[in-house]
């Protein structure tokens, strides 16, 4: 039964994050690129302030998969690397923490391009 509630919490958390993004698209003149960038920055800031960790624990994948989760992962990686390596960690920690996700995005993007033969929109 606990697994069911994990799915419900992930759905509610991820759905709320996506709903805020949709409201921003519908009600403001912000472009989707600016909203996506704001989501990553919000994840970094909330992660640095320690406010995103409780949300990630409660919402699970609903909090860690969206772009805010990517920003949170970057902040967490930088914090860990700075503690281990000093100032150099500020430059390497985010990339190291996000390397798995970045590699997966590149691989799956390449696979999708190979399978579906992308082209210009008409």
């Amino acid at each position: 039964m606990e697994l069911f509630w994990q799915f419900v919490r992930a759905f509610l958390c991820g759905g709320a994050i996506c709903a805020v993004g949709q409201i921003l698209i519908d009600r403001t003149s912000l472009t989707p690129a600016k909203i996506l960038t704001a989501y990553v920055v919000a994840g970094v800031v909330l992660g640095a302030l320690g406010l995103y960790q409780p949300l990630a624990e409660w919402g699970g994948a609903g909090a860690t998969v969206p772009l805010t989760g990517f920003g949170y992962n970057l902040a967490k990686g930088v914090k860990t690397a700075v503690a281990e390596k000093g100032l150099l960690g500020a430059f390497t920690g985010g990339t190291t923490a996000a390397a798995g996700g970045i590699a997966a995005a590149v691989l799956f993007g390449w696979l999708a391009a190979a399978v579906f033969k992308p082209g210009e929109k008409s």
Side-chain angles (χ1 to χ4, degrees):
M1 191 65 176
E2 176 60 28
L3 183 62
F4 171 75
W5 290 112
Q6 287 177 348
F7 284 128
V8 170
R9 288 191 308 269
F11 175 78
L12 291 174
C13 184
I17 291 171
C18 292
V20 169
Q22 189 63 50
I23 290 168
L24 290 172
I25 289 172
D26 292 343
R27 307 253 176 179
T28 68
S29 61
L30 293 172
T31 64
K34 289 180 182 178
I35 294 169
L36 295 176
T37 303
Y39 265 34
V40 173
V41 171
V44 170
V45 170
L46 292 173
L49 295 175
L51 300 174
Y52 206 83
Q53 180 66 30
L55 181 65
E57 289 173 0
W58 183 82
T64 58
V65 171
L67 282 173
T68 51
F70 178 70
Y72 163 69
N73 193 26
L74 290 174
K76 190 170 69 168
V78 168
K79 185 177 179 181
T80 302
V82 166
E84 292 174 1
K85 301 176 185 172
L87 183 59
L88 181 63
F91 300 104
T92 62
T95 308
T96 303
I102 294 169
V106 170
L107 173 67
F108 291 126
W110 180 84
L111 286 173
V115 170
F116 295 107
K117 307 290 186 228
E120 293 291 323
K121 275 186 152 180
S122 52

